[in-house]
Amino acid sequence: MKPLNTKRSETLFTRAQKHIPGGVNSPVRAFHAVGRSPLFIRKAKGATIWDEDGNAFIDYVGSWGPMILGHAHPSILGAIGKVMKHGTSFGAPTDLEVRVAELIKTCIPSIEMVRMVNSGTEATMSAIRLARAYTSRDKIIKFEGCYHGHGDSFLIKAGSGAMTLGVPDSPGVPSSVAASTLTARYNDLESVRELTLASAGHVAAIIVEPVVGNMGCVPPAEGFLQGLRQICDEQKIVLIFDEVMTGFRVALGGAQELYRVKPDLTTLGKIIGGGLPVGAYGGKREIMQLVAPAGPMYQAGTLSGNPLAMAAGYAMLSTLSKSRSFYVKLEKKSMQLEEGIRGNLRTIGLELTLNRVGSMFTLFFTDHAVTDYTSAAKAERPRFADYFRGMLARGIYLPPSQFEAAFLSAAHSDRDIEKTIAANLITLRQVYKPQVM
Ligand SMILES: *Cc1c(COP(=O)(O)O)cnc(C)c1O
């Protein structure tokens, strides 16, 4: 196997580090967890990305989720090109915004009204402000290991004992803000009940990734989401599904369609922007009516509903919703990849945990079931790093962290999948040499 020539990427990274903190504009891109420097990407098409040195890779990052149709999809590029000729931003309402809102509502019926923003982070920050405004309560419950963007309220994990006050994960988060965030264990309804009892009458919202992607792919246990719905109903707490990753990914109507649980509010991002910077939050009319200028809860954005972003989003959502079989075909591809990897594990005699929901998946380097943050954290990170580098050298670009979900797109061909399965077999053998074989 030839080692990768990544000279140009390395030179660029040296320059980038002089001018940009850590050389990147979002931390995970720096490849810290996998022991090498990042690739600088020049272009992408379908399931393939090319770096600045001209190396080609089959891409399972998909810009962290948006690229469900594959890169540079003609319908999205075409829509952006058409709208762009008329100008890039007006700061005034447009026809396209109305059509995007209508389309989102059709696909996700729990959304009766929707507000567009510019990122997933903005969507979740706005959604909890809204829940607080609606309930006149201050506390929120999130789950250990769930990521909801970089808002102050979300950069919290449980201290020792989930009943204690939140402790910030990052300097700069005021302890007074952290104290309003309570942290429960994913897939553990009892931990949620304890928190709601201890803070009875003070919890405004429970926010959850209905399928977790941000500790690697972790599906909800049977009854977990239903249980959250019940607790929220009993205690008049606003249930927020953060579907920034799962919306239009695990089903057209997101995880709420797949698991048949209706949240009060939903946050969206990633896919709905077709690769442009977009987020959205929406839900029950009664709650959304509080958003300014319909109501008193202030939230605004100079570029919100930007025409280019709306054009890309509209093209994306209409392409996804037009074809009834889109998600069936994507599931088939994903299943094919899962079965190939499971076959490899049997061939080698390895017991690793593979979690998959639709086109989101993670191979965890542990033989324990991964159901929450504690079990995810048991995965052997050095093995993952070896695996990542081995796969990269064989032309497969995976998320550079054990705790990020990988994504398939409609553009991954049978050949791409077969090549990935073959690379997986050789790389796993190499990673576990000499213990197995
Ligand atoms: C990516 C993500 C966010 C943050 O979205 P940004 O657009 O990166 O701000 C929030 N929640 C979930 C579940 C995500 O996956």
Side-chain angles (χ1 to χ4, degrees):
M1 192 183 53
K2 265 203 335 233
L4 275 177
N5 172 10
T6 56
K7 260 199 146 100
R8 280 183 62 91
S9 282
E10 284 154 34
T11 307
L12 280 166
F13 192 46
T14 305
R15 268 172 64 200
Q17 282 171 297
K18 287 196 194 121
H19 312 298
I20 304 170
V24 292
N25 282 312
S26 197
V28 70
R29 297 178 196 171
F31 278 31
H32 277 169
V34 291
R36 62 153 296 146
S37 57
L39 302 184
F40 280 63
I41 303 303
R42 178 184 293 170
K43 63 171 183 175
K45 174 79 189 153
T48 308
I49 55 168
W50 286 266
D51 68 9
E52 287 285 353
D53 291 279
N55 301 302
F57 303 91
I58 302 171
D59 178 26
Y60 288 93
V61 177
S63 189
W64 302 95
M67 296 302 156
I68 194 167
L69 296 176
H71 292 279
H73 192 272
S75 68
I76 291 177
L77 297 190
I80 296 171
K82 219 171 113 189
V83 165
M84 189 173 68
K85 292 199 188 93
H86 300 300
T88 52
S89 180
F90 316 121
T94 61
D95 169 65
L96 258 173
E97 289 172 298
V98 185
R99 287 196 281 146
V100 168
E102 285 168 350
L103 197 47
I104 289 175
K105 284 178 56 177
T106 309
C107 298
I108 308 178
S110 76
I111 298 182
E112 295 169 355
M113 296 186 102
V114 61
R115 166 61 63 83
M116 304 307 301
V117 292
N118 303 293
S119 68
T121 294
E122 267 189 72
T124 54
M125 281 168 35
S126 307
I128 57 158
R129 183 183 304 145
L130 178 56
R132 284 170 166 154
Y134 179 71
T135 56
S136 305
R137 300 171 180 177
D138 280 348
K139 291 189 192 301
I140 61 163
I141 294 178
K142 76 175 281 288
F143 293 88
E144 210 179 332
C146 280
Y147 179 68
H148 304 293
H150 66 84
D152 281 351
S153 300
F154 301 119
L155 294 179
I156 319 292
K157 65 182 175 193
S160 52
M163 309 292 284
T164 56
L165 299 179
V167 176
D169 268 348
S170 165
V173 174
S175 51
S176 56
V177 173
S180 299
T181 301
L182 312 174
T183 311
R185 282 181 298 273
Y186 196 76
N187 279 331
D188 181 348
L189 286 173
E190 209 38 56
S191 74
V192 181
R193 284 222 173 79
E194 279 172 28
L195 290 176
T196 55
L197 280 180
S199 297
H202 295 287
V203 179
I206 296 178
I207 185 165
V208 66
E209 286 183 75
V211 175
V212 189
N214 288 295
M215 47 184 154
C217 177
V218 178
E222 203 178 327
F224 176 61
L225 299 174
Q226 285 83 355
L228 293 182
R229 181 67 274 176
Q230 196 185 345
I231 291 168
C232 286
D233 286 342
E234 286 164 7
Q235 308 198 33
K236 307 229 178 320
I237 295 169
V238 176
L239 179 60
I240 305 172
F241 277 6
D242 180 357
E243 299 229 41
V244 169
M245 189 182 288
T246 54
F248 299 93
R249 166 60 66 181
V250 297
L252 185 66
Q256 54 195 276
E257 176 186 314
L258 198 60
Y259 297 99
R260 294 164 207 237
V261 178
K262 264 192 175 190
D264 301 303
L265 294 177
T266 300
T267 53
L268 296 168
K270 299 193 169 120
I271 290 178
I272 58 161
L276 272 77
V278 180
Y281 63 104
K284 281 191 177 151
R285 182 173 300 273
E286 185 191 337
I287 305 177
M288 291 301 292
Q289 289 279 17
L290 293 183
V291 179
M297 190 218 76
Y298 192 73
Q299 184 271 309
T302 301
L303 294 176
S304 296
N306 172 268
L308 300 191
M310 293 301 97
Y314 189 78
M316 170 67 83
L317 302 190
S318 51
T319 306
L320 294 176
S321 55
K322 244 187 330 232
S323 154
R324 279 181 165 271
S325 59
F326 180 86
Y327 289 92
V328 178
K329 284 190 202 147
L330 191 56
E331 168 66 22
K332 241 179 93 186
K333 274 186 212 289
S334 310
M335 177 71 90
Q336 191 187 336
L337 181 61
E338 175 183 348
E339 283 176 353
I341 296 173
R342 288 199 192 284
N344 290 345
L345 293 172
R346 278 193 303 273
T347 304
I348 309 176
L350 264 179
E351 283 182 29
L352 300 183
T353 297
L354 176 60
N355 283 353
R356 179 179 73 84
V357 177
S359 54
M360 287 169 65
F361 67 94
T362 302
L363 179 62
F364 287 99
F365 285 77
T366 172
D367 57 1
H368 291 80
V370 175
T371 57
D372 59 11
Y373 180 76
T374 309
S375 47
K378 284 188 182 139
E380 292 185 76
R381 292 167 216 202
R383 292 244 202 241
F384 173 82
D386 283 354
Y387 174 72
F388 172 87
R389 290 192 307 266
M391 290 296 273
L392 194 71
R394 295 179 176 89
I396 314 293
Y397 188 84
L398 294 169
S401 159
Q402 171 74 96
F403 307 111
E404 297 282 357
F407 300 103
L408 265 118
S409 78
H412 286 79
S413 66
D414 285 354
R415 235 186 120 242
D416 290 332
I417 291 171
E418 281 158 23
K419 204 181 151 196
T420 306
I421 294 168
N424 170 267
L425 180 64
I426 310 175
T427 307
L428 284 178
R429 281 206 154 115
Q430 179 200 317
V431 167
Y432 282 90
K433 200 164 56 180
Q435 290 97 315
V436 284
M437 275 166 59

